[in-house]
Amino acid sequence: MFVSTTLITEKFLLYLYPKLENPNPVNLYKPELFSFSQFSQVIALLRFLVAADFLVLSTDLGLLSEMASVSSQPQFRYTQPPSKVLHLRNLPWECTEEELIELGKPFGKVVNTKCNVGANRNQAFIEFADLNQAIAMISYYASSSEPAQVRGKTVYLQYSNRQEIVNNKTAADVPGNVLLVTIEGADARLVSIDVLHLVFSAFGFVHKITTFEKTAGFQALVQFSDAETATSAKDALDGRSIPRYLLPEHMGPCTLRITYSGHSDLSVKFQSHRSRDYTNPYLPVAPSAVEGSGQAMVGLDGKRLETESNVLLASIENMQYAVTLDVLHMVFSAFGPVQKIAMFDKNGGLQALIQYPDTQTAVVAKEALEGHCIYDGGFCKLHISYSRHTDLSIKVNNDRSRDYTIPNTPNAQPSILGQQSVPMVGPPGQPYNGSQSGWGTGPPAVVQSMPMQMHNNVYMSSGSMPQQMAPGMQFPSHNSSQSTTTLPAYGSDRCQ
DNA sequence: AGCACA
């Protein structure tokens, strides 16, 4: 209740009574008797009570007496209790918030609005900062010869039956840099992520795209740099269909429904047929995106899990210095006996498969070595993933491949756990001196992921090529040396 | 022309 009942003295009611018939009692306000706030609120309250037959005005007694019911002339002009919120009806089509604010501004501060309400979308609410402002507006139009109008159309006002506007503004209404795109059409799910990328790239650099299946259908989240770019794409594409020439001929039309997403930065773990991160070319390709991969494992959280293996695939980035079989053997022997190594060139870079007797050792080695550099200065940076092999077939022992399990093999140096003291070899750089992140501190601050072509090697079964990236896929330049970390000295306490 | 929507 907005006014203490003790304020309604007999004197006050006697004063008010004749004025209640006046549709605009604000004009009759007598500051020497009551504050404006008290006056306005009580007027509105009394009107409501009278209209609702809770009070009956008695001229004889000059008093208001309480009554339960029965009114010969029920009044419906003031059937709502006063509220800061006004209900407007008979509004013109697609009335805007600006028009509502314009209408309410003369009476006070409009703090909230809601338009396009109701089945015909021709109702609205406006909420004032103060109850008296709402009262002032209702009072004014109750007595005015000119009705309230929007675009020349009469609108009808009354107090809302709610005390505040609750804006169900969902994320879909709040502009953001990420768009939620629903692709409608019988063949919606056949729309490739590359086509979506192409369509949305017309409006600016697309950072990331994820696609997924929901009850709403086939949907995608498209991330732009900023809300302005996203808005331009939304305005241009919402309700439009994907150009036919971008789709296979047999496909039906695919219409885009676009809202804003609540997200601001999508989390893309892999480049795959479902998600892309165009800002990070070194994001690994999800095995699920690799044809013929039957190893897709899904964790409890629904994310993909890497399939562990006793064989590691190492690719060497920024190979300024020769990395020999012996160097690799030394590096990887620090974590356990290395059974076999096979080296090969791939896409102008060097890769190697390193086989341990068990998966646990490989896991430890991978965790320790991933992202580290064999040589100081960011040279020969290792990127390690699990191979799908479990036992390498080494045909011949030479400077590129070796089976250390075969006894009496020259240069074969089976390592055992604990045999750790291996001096730094190779031409340049200084051995790790402990000033940078050591074993104990875990992986480097920024661990670059493996290049996406790394799955593609001669040791893998046919049909294991990674999915081709889309033509026109663009990557911002990156500084590969900024995140390199020198490989610490081998044989630290981590490896016991 | 008469009170939002998950």
Side-chain angles (χ1 to χ4, degrees):
Chain A
M1 192 53 74
F2 33 76
V3 60
S4 165
T5 50
T6 58
L7 287 175
I8 309 177
T9 61
E10 186 172 320
K11 180 184 173 193
F12 184 39
L13 293 173
L14 282 171
Y15 168 79
L16 287 177
Y17 166 69
K19 277 92 181 165
L20 285 174
E21 294 304 306
N22 187 309
N24 195 2
V26 176
N27 298 335
L28 306 173
Y29 166 56
K30 293 287 188 290
E32 62 274 17
L33 285 176
F34 312 101
S35 78
F36 177 83
S37 175
Q38 289 170 346
F39 178 82
S40 303
Q41 293 177 10
V42 170
I43 283 285
L45 173 64
L46 291 177
R47 280 181 162 169
F48 167 69
L49 294 175
V50 168
D53 291 340
F54 289 129
L55 286 177
V56 170
L57 298 180
S58 165
T59 14
D60 299 335
L61 296 177
L63 288 172
L64 295 163
S65 61
E66 226 172 303
M67 265 189 68
S69 59
V70 185
S71 177
S72 55
Q73 283 186 324
Q75 298 183 22
F76 293 107
R77 279 170 62 196
Y78 311 110
T79 51
Q80 293 297 336
S83 165
K84 291 191 306 233
V85 183
L86 302 184
H87 175 236
L88 287 68
R89 58 185 198 271
N90 200 39
L91 285 158
W93 178 248
E94 295 282 283
C95 179
T96 65
E97 175 171 37
E98 288 69 35
E99 289 171 310
L100 295 177
I101 293 173
E102 202 63 32
L103 190 65
K105 207 159 58 178
F107 305 95
K109 186 180 181 202
V110 177
V111 294
N112 205 352
T113 66
K114 184 168 181 70
C115 28
N116 301 323
V117 166
N120 297 328
R121 296 172 62 78
N122 61 353
Q123 299 174 45
F125 299 91
I126 64 178
E127 179 178 335
F128 283 99
D130 190 81
L131 177 64
N132 292 326
Q133 298 168 353
I135 292 169
M137 184 169 181
I138 291 290
S139 301
Y140 175 83
Y141 284 113
S143 63
S144 168
S145 53
E146 289 291 312
Q149 289 184 333
V150 172
R151 284 182 236 162
K153 193 176 183 204
T154 297
V155 303
Y156 302 92
L157 317 170
Q158 61 189 150
Y159 296 115
S160 170
N161 53 24
R162 308 205 194 177
Q163 292 302 307
E164 61 181 9
I165 292 176
V166 289
N167 278 68
N168 294 321
K169 260 193 182 163
T170 53
D173 305 315
V174 183
N177 64 320
V178 178
L179 298 177
L180 172 61
V181 182
T182 305
I183 300 110
E184 297 176 345
D187 303 321
R189 70 207 63 228
L190 298 179
V191 175
S192 75
I193 201 164
D194 299 320
V195 166
L196 291 174
H197 179 245
L198 206 57
V199 168
F200 284 89
S201 290
F203 303 90
F205 177 63
V206 175
H207 286 227
K208 301 172 186 178
I209 298 180
T210 62
T211 63
F212 47 91
E213 198 84 30
K214 275 282 181 64
T215 47
F218 185 57
Q219 294 188 307
L221 290 164
V222 181
Q223 178 175 341
F224 286 100
S225 306
D226 47 69
E228 289 67 39
T229 311
T231 300
S232 68
K234 176 180 180 292
D235 291 346
L237 295 175
D238 188 18
R240 305 283 295 274
S241 292
I242 297 174
R244 297 309 300 262
Y245 62 84
L246 291 178
L247 300 173
E249 284 192 7
H250 59 86
M251 279 182 62
C254 293
T255 306
L256 303 172
R257 297 289 171 198
I258 305 176
T259 64
Y260 295 104
S261 159
H263 294 89
S264 58
D265 189 24
L266 304 175
S267 168
V268 175
K269 299 288 200 302
F270 299 97
Q271 310 285 14
S272 79
H273 63 294
R274 302 179 63 88
S275 63
R276 296 284 169 80
D277 181 346
Y278 301 97
T279 68
N280 182 6
Y282 286 92
L283 201 64
V285 173
S288 65
V290 178
E291 275 182 61
S293 166
Q295 299 190 3
M297 301 277 283
V298 177
L300 290 174
D301 54 359
K303 293 173 185 160
R304 280 212 73 271
L305 294 176
E306 226 178 342
T307 307
E308 295 177 349
S309 167
N310 65 315
V311 179
L312 296 177
L313 172 65
S315 59
I316 294 142
E317 180 191 329
N318 196 20
M319 200 172 67
Q320 297 287 314
Y321 304 104
V323 173
T324 64
L325 190 74
D326 290 330
V327 169
L328 286 176
H329 184 251
M330 266 187 276
V331 169
F332 284 88
S333 290
F335 307 94
V338 171
Q339 292 182 319
K340 301 173 184 178
I341 297 180
M343 299 168 68
F344 50 92
D345 290 304
K346 190 66 215 174
N347 295 345
L350 182 70
Q351 298 194 356
L353 290 161
I354 300 97
Q355 179 176 335
Y356 287 105
D358 54 79
T359 301
Q360 296 92 302
T361 308
V363 170
V364 172
K366 177 177 181 295
E367 291 303 309
L369 294 172
E370 170 56 32
H372 287 272
C373 299
I374 296 177
Y375 299 117
D376 223 344
F379 300 125
C380 304
K381 185 175 178 181
L382 289 168
H383 291 298
I384 300 175
S385 65
Y386 296 107
S387 168
R388 295 165 63 196
H389 294 271
T390 54
D391 191 14
L392 302 177
S393 162
I394 305 294
K395 300 283 197 301
V396 57
N397 282 338
N398 57 24
D399 62 342
R400 303 280 276 177
S401 64
R402 188 150 305 170
D403 185 343
Y404 297 93
T405 63
I406 298 176
N408 303 325
T409 303
N411 294 327
Q413 303 164 355
S415 291
I416 52 169
L417 212 59
Q419 178 187 341
Q420 303 157 353
S421 185
V422 180
M424 191 63 145
V425 295
Q430 301 155 348
Y432 178 68
N433 58 15
S435 63
Q436 289 175 300
S437 65
W439 293 121
T441 59
V446 178
V447 178
Q448 289 272 334
S449 305
M450 57 191 174
M452 50 203 336
Q453 65 270 19
M454 57 152 297
H455 290 284
N456 190 359
N457 67 64
V458 294
Y459 288 85
M460 295 174 76
S461 56
S462 61
S464 61
M465 307 282 281
Q467 173 174 317
Q468 276 294 306
M469 297 306 285
M473 213 172 200
Q474 46 193 307
F475 299 125
S477 64
H478 74 287
N479 184 352
S480 64
S481 63
Q482 68 187 5
S483 59
T484 53
T485 307
T486 300
L487 191 69
Y490 315 116
S492 73
D493 54 4
R494 166 74 176 270
C495 314
Q496 296 175 23

